[in-house]
Amino acid sequence: MSQEPDFRAFKDWRVDGPAGPWPYFYEPDTELTVEQKKIVEKNAKLLLDRDAWSAHVDAFEEQLALIKNKKKRSRVRAKFQIRFDHHIFPDHKADFFGIHFPCSVSFTGAKFGGYGVSFDGARFEDGSVSFNGATFGDGHVWFDGATFGKGNVSFEGITFGKGDVSFKRVKFGEGNVWFDDFTFGDGNISFKDATFGEGNVWFIKVTLTKASVSFEDIAVAGNLFVRNISFPKEANFQRASVKGTADFSENTFHEVPDFRDTVFARPPEVARMEVLPYAFTFMTPWWKGEYDEAAKFRKLKAMALASNDHEKDGEFFAYEMLAKRGDDKDNKSFLDRFIQSPFDLLINWFYFTLSNFGQSYLRPLVCLLISLVVFIAPYFWMVRSFLPTSEALWFGFDHSWRNFMPLLNSLFRFAYRPENHETPYEKSYNALIAHETTIDCLITLGIAQNFIGLILLFLLLLGLRNKFRLK
């Protein structure tokens, strides 16, 4: 018979343990009961003795290992949570490198020493992580309302698992803060209302498997670097403020990031930032986008403009225009919006298709060349009965060539030539003098081609101007 696990030695870690219900993570200022304070002190004392902590954690894992079914073992692990709420960790004793936390952990309202804090290499258990080794599992990890001293704070290399990770209302000191080279899982990550001192704050090369991230209302007194990150879901920076340098370059966003109402003392860096829902799309549907996406792109455009990044300025302007065709704040259907404003939708679509909202000079150039080729056919069809086939075909090409771009025909007409010299085109055209209807049709169609060419020429020049920032 298999041995049954015995968790009596870990009753203080149980969610429904002897201390009764603990305060919710969003209530960091709630006073703990006497029994809860005793448990926190006991956990903290154990944690600060590495050998005793390791032995206790190993014993806990041994009991869990007796549960052979993996899903059942995960459910049992979820019944435990280690609490360090409101504990004051003494100076020089906030080094948790390599520490193994075998279940959900709460540092809600905790205060850490003033000479540096390190969680590098810690393991927050479920077996799906590694932050310099630190592993965060299905259980949640809370630092809500925690306070860090004046030293550096490092969370380098950690990997968080499927649970939520919360740093809401955390107060970091004047030292540097690192959240580098680690992986988050499926849960949500929040730094809402967190404050950072005058040191540098780094979020570099972070892997977010399925996580959404919130930096709402954060206040950074120093420099903020959020770089080389792929955001698979929402990235919310609303109302954030940065007094130093802000760098958001080389990030990839799978949803439109929200920087509305952010305040930057210096122009932020947005170089090589990618927003994938709109990048590299040519035939984006009419209904693409949500109500507030245009406003989000408008803020991104302003950020790029402030940093003199003209390439990103133009790109975000194009995305803003593209998002407007999905602007549906009244939740109207595509058909309702199309019937209500077909002209606006068509203009928007043509402007995007022909020139990517003035950001492309290749599109209008290609369209001009297509116009040159396409109009050969109707010109040939009109004169085929009055001219030999080869002459009619050449006339169709020549007539299209003279009309596919505005003023080009005038250049041919007023170009210097010998007196009384008549070009093959003019001979063919004069041969049609007896067929007034055909000539009228040629003139009318030529004016239409000129009008199309005028629009495409304007878009071509606009694209060149925007691409090379010509005045």
Side-chain angles (χ1 to χ4, degrees), residues 175-242:
N176 299 318
V177 181
W178 288 276
F179 287 91
D180 296 354
D181 195 24
F182 63 84
T183 301
F184 280 112
D186 299 347
N188 299 316
I189 305 103
S190 178
F191 290 86
K192 182 176 173 61
D193 291 309
T195 58
F196 298 84
E198 295 182 357
N200 295 319
V201 182
W202 283 280
F203 291 88
I204 309 293
K205 295 182 180 179
V206 177
T207 301
L208 303 172
T209 308
K210 295 182 180 180
S212 63
V213 184
S214 173
F215 293 95
E216 291 179 85
D217 300 292
I218 67 168
V220 182
N223 303 317
L224 174 63
F225 302 92
V226 182
R227 301 186 57 182
N228 294 300
I229 301 175
S230 178
F231 293 88
K233 291 186 177 181
E234 180 185 18
N236 193 338
F237 296 85
Q238 283 194 81
R239 298 175 300 279
S241 67
V242 182

Side-chain angles (χ1 to χ4, degrees), residues 47 71 116 163 168 186 212 246 249 256 288 310 315 325 343 442:
L47 179 63
K71 290 184 177 179
K168 294 179 180 178
D186 299 347
S212 63
S249 59
V256 187
K288 181 68 179 179
H310 301 301
E315 179 182 324
R325 61 166 77 163
F343 183 75
L442 287 171

Side-chain angles (χ1 to χ4, degrees), residues 37-84:
K37 290 179 180 179
K38 289 181 180 179
I39 290 177
V40 168
E41 290 296 326
K42 181 179 177 181
N43 288 335
K45 183 178 180 180
L46 191 65
L47 179 63
L48 295 175
D49 185 339
R50 285 181 174 270
D51 293 337
W53 177 267
S54 297
H56 199 61
V57 170
D58 289 344
F60 180 78
E61 291 292 345
E62 288 175 4
Q63 297 304 314
L64 277 176
L66 297 175
I67 304 173
K68 302 304 180 182
N69 184 282
K70 185 177 180 180
K71 290 184 177 179
K72 184 178 179 180
R73 186 164 62 247
S74 296
R75 288 195 297 269
V76 172
R77 189 189 297 273
K79 294 180 180 179
F80 294 87
Q81 183 178 82
I82 309 172
R83 310 292 299 217
F84 300 97

Side-chain angles (χ1 to χ4, degrees), residues 69-129:
N69 184 282
K70 185 177 180 180
K71 290 184 177 179
K72 184 178 179 180
R73 186 164 62 247
S74 296
R75 288 195 297 269
V76 172
R77 189 189 297 273
K79 294 180 180 179
F80 294 87
Q81 183 178 82
I82 309 172
R83 310 292 299 217
F84 300 97
D85 300 38
H86 303 287
H87 184 73
I88 300 175
F89 289 91
D91 293 347
H92 302 293
K93 292 190 176 181
D95 182 5
F96 307 108
F97 181 88
I99 291 292
H100 178 191
F101 296 95
C103 55
S104 178
V105 180
S106 172
F107 286 94
T108 300
K111 294 182 179 180
F112 295 90
Y115 295 94
V117 180
S118 173
F119 279 88
D120 298 350
R123 291 174 48 219
F124 290 76
E125 187 61 58
D126 184 82
S128 56
V129 207

